[in-house]
Amino acid sequence: MTVIAPAGFEAAGVAAGIKRSGALDLAVVVNRGPSQQAAVVFTSNRAQANPILWSKEVAKDGVVSAIVLNSGGANCFTGPEGFQVTHRTAEAAAAALGVAAGDVLVCSTGLIGEQLDGEVLEEGVLSAVNRLGADAAAGEDAARAIMTTDTKPKTVVVDGGAAGARWRIGGMAKGAGMLAPGLATMLVVLTTDAALEASVLDRALRQATRVSFDRLDSDGCMSTNDQVTLLASGASGVVADEAEFTAALSAACLDLAAQLQADAEGASHDITIEVLGAVTEDDAVEVGRSVARNNLFKAAIFGNDPNWGRVLAAIGTTAAPFDPYLVDVSMNGVRVCHAGRPDRPRDEVDLAPRATHVRIELHAGEASATILTNDLTHDYVHENSAYAS
């Protein structure tokens, strides 16, 4: 039931006519309250789409009544006219819902540099508002409406609290390419019926995204439109414990991040890079990311080649403190490198399964981190060479 699983939310997804295919391309998620508290994190890319510029202002007071999301066009680098389209979209939703335009977030995803038709978006918003519902079909349509190159919708539901004081988190995400920190080329909407203030939501969301979406690094490319939104209705009447809520939210984000990884464009391997024995967590992240962004390593995995030398070459480019001649590397449970020297034979490593686990032990400290990535395939190159055609 995705974003409408928690009490207090309605959603809809419609075919507004943005996509030439006639597929669903516009979603609306509404928080019916009694509270409209929210937190949002945005791409760290300095090149930001018009919806990001609008939504950053909306999010400042921590109050959000609704969010409109469209696929089929990023509305990025489209000048003042593009910003007016975003403004018009928010105004249309506000008028239809009886809320303030300054409490309506807007998200867009698709091709950069193409103008969106404001009239089409406005009519799509009105159509979506007329179809708002809190049933499974409404949530499914909303999740499908935000897809671009995704092959399937990504949704999650996590329950929390104790007997008699339960609360729930729901969520939907889109993303299949440009998956790299600065979040990813993702749009994510998370909802909860827990009664929490915006400041608590903000702390929880930043912690959850730090260990999930910010560690998904499929192709090293950062989007202009990334936005992860958390809306709280308070409809359960339960004030969730902050630590418990943060853990549940992190679990939801990790689930969605894994779904994004599994649907990455053209990928044939989902690679989990686990770094152990770093001096600090940041060092572990830097080491893991150096491997995730190494095209030689990623191409080797595509070819089912356990080329551990490419792992060592990649991590040697980092500033993290460790001795490369003490490092161990394992692939799918086989330690192929021990103390910077060959260990088990390469042919003992089975890289045929899609799930690939690389374990790097630095022997420099106690910190660890995990990075998610994919291999580099012919299909990835073909899909991205033909994206705008």
Side-chain angles (χ1 to χ4, degrees), residues 72-117:
N75 195 4
C76 182
F77 293 116
T78 50
E81 180 183 343
F83 188 82
Q84 286 303 313
V85 168
T86 295
H87 190 177
R88 181 175 177 178
T89 301
E91 291 279 3
L97 294 167
V99 301
D103 292 335
V104 178
L105 297 170
V106 179
C107 299
S108 299
T109 183
L111 189 63
I112 293 173
E114 298 289 324
Q115 289 287 358
L116 291 174
D117 188 320

Side-chain angles (χ1 to χ4, degrees), residues 49-56 74-76 86 106-108 225 227:
N50 287 306
I52 295 291
L53 301 177
W54 170 270
S55 294
K56 288 174 80 170
N75 195 4
C76 182
T86 295
V106 179
C107 299
S108 299
N225 290 60
Q227 182 170 323

Side-chain angles (χ1 to χ4, degrees), residues 59-343:
K60 283 182 176 179
D61 66 356
V63 177
V64 174
S65 300
I67 180 169
V68 180
L69 312 95
N70 77 268
S71 56
N75 195 4
C76 182
F77 293 116
T78 50
E81 180 183 343
F83 188 82
Q84 286 303 313
V85 168
T86 295
H87 190 177
R88 181 175 177 178
T89 301
E91 291 279 3
L97 294 167
V99 301
D103 292 335
V104 178
L105 297 170
V106 179
C107 299
S108 299
T109 183
L111 189 63
I112 293 173
E114 298 289 324
Q115 289 287 358
L116 291 174
D117 188 320
E119 183 174 347
V120 168
L121 278 165
E122 184 173 342
E123 291 177 356
V125 167
L126 296 177
S127 175
V129 170
N130 287 333
R131 299 186 188 186
L132 285 169
D135 59 348
E140 176 78 7
D141 285 348
R144 289 189 175 278
I146 63 176
M147 292 167 49
T148 50
T149 58
D150 307 65
T151 66
K152 63 186 73 172
K154 289 89 174 173
T155 64
V156 69
V157 176
V158 175
D159 290 310
R166 305 292 292 174
W167 45 265
R168 175 173 280 184
I169 295 171
M172 67 179 187
K174 67 79 50 182
M178 293 178 72
L179 298 178
L183 301 179
T185 185
M186 66 170 66
L187 298 180
V188 180
V189 180
L190 297 153
T191 58
T192 183
D193 51 16
L196 295 170
E197 295 297 319
S199 59
V200 177
L201 297 175
D202 184 73
R203 287 193 297 270
L205 183 61
R206 292 183 185 280
Q207 170 60 17
T209 56
R210 185 182 71 81
V211 298
S212 59
F213 301 127
D214 277 340
R215 295 186 183 176
L216 173 61
D217 201 330
S218 181
D219 55 14
C221 299
M222 187 189 298
S223 175
T224 56
N225 290 60
D226 306 335
Q227 182 170 323
V228 179
T229 302
L230 173 59
L231 307 175
S233 69
S236 70
V238 179
V239 179
D241 174 77
E242 183 173 346
E244 183 185 358
F245 181 81
T246 300
L249 185 66
S250 297
C253 290
L254 283 165
D255 189 303
L256 289 172
Q259 293 182 57
L260 293 170
Q261 179 195 25
D263 198 28
E265 292 171 346
S268 65
H269 289 81
D270 301 329
I271 308 169
T272 300
I273 302 170
E274 182 185 14
V275 181
L276 303 170
V279 174
T280 68
E281 185 178 351
D282 286 344
D283 291 334
V285 170
E286 182 184 2
V287 168
R289 205 178 302 290
S290 73
V291 179
R293 293 186 172 183
N294 187 284
N295 286 338
L296 288 175
F297 163 77
K298 291 156 76 74
I301 297 300
F302 170 58
N304 294 337
D305 175 12
N307 193 328
W308 56 267
R310 293 179 177 179
V311 173
L312 291 181
I315 68 176
T317 66
T318 70
F322 64 88
D323 184 343
Y325 301 99
L326 296 179
V327 171
D328 297 340
V329 177
S330 301
M331 294 186 176
N332 282 356
V334 178
R335 192 173 68 177
V336 286
C337 168
H338 174 52
R341 297 187 298 274
D343 194 5

Side-chain angles (χ1 to χ4, degrees), residues 320-379:
F322 64 88
D323 184 343
Y325 301 99
L326 296 179
V327 171
D328 297 340
V329 177
S330 301
M331 294 186 176
N332 282 356
V334 178
R335 192 173 68 177
V336 286
C337 168
H338 174 52
R341 297 187 298 274
D343 194 5
R344 302 302 306 165
R346 297 172 190 250
D347 58 13
E348 291 185 8
V349 181
D350 182 9
L351 291 178
R354 185 178 178 99
T356 302
H357 184 263
V358 177
R359 179 185 175 102
I360 303 168
E361 298 185 68
L362 301 178
H363 299 294
E366 302 298 325
S368 63
T370 299
I371 301 294
L372 305 179
T373 191
N374 306 93
D375 55 350
L376 179 59
T377 70
H378 302 301
D379 288 343

Side-chain angles (χ1 to χ4, degrees), residues 5-20:
F9 294 94
E10 293 181 340
V14 300
I18 304 167
K19 292 178 178 176
R20 291 191 295 269

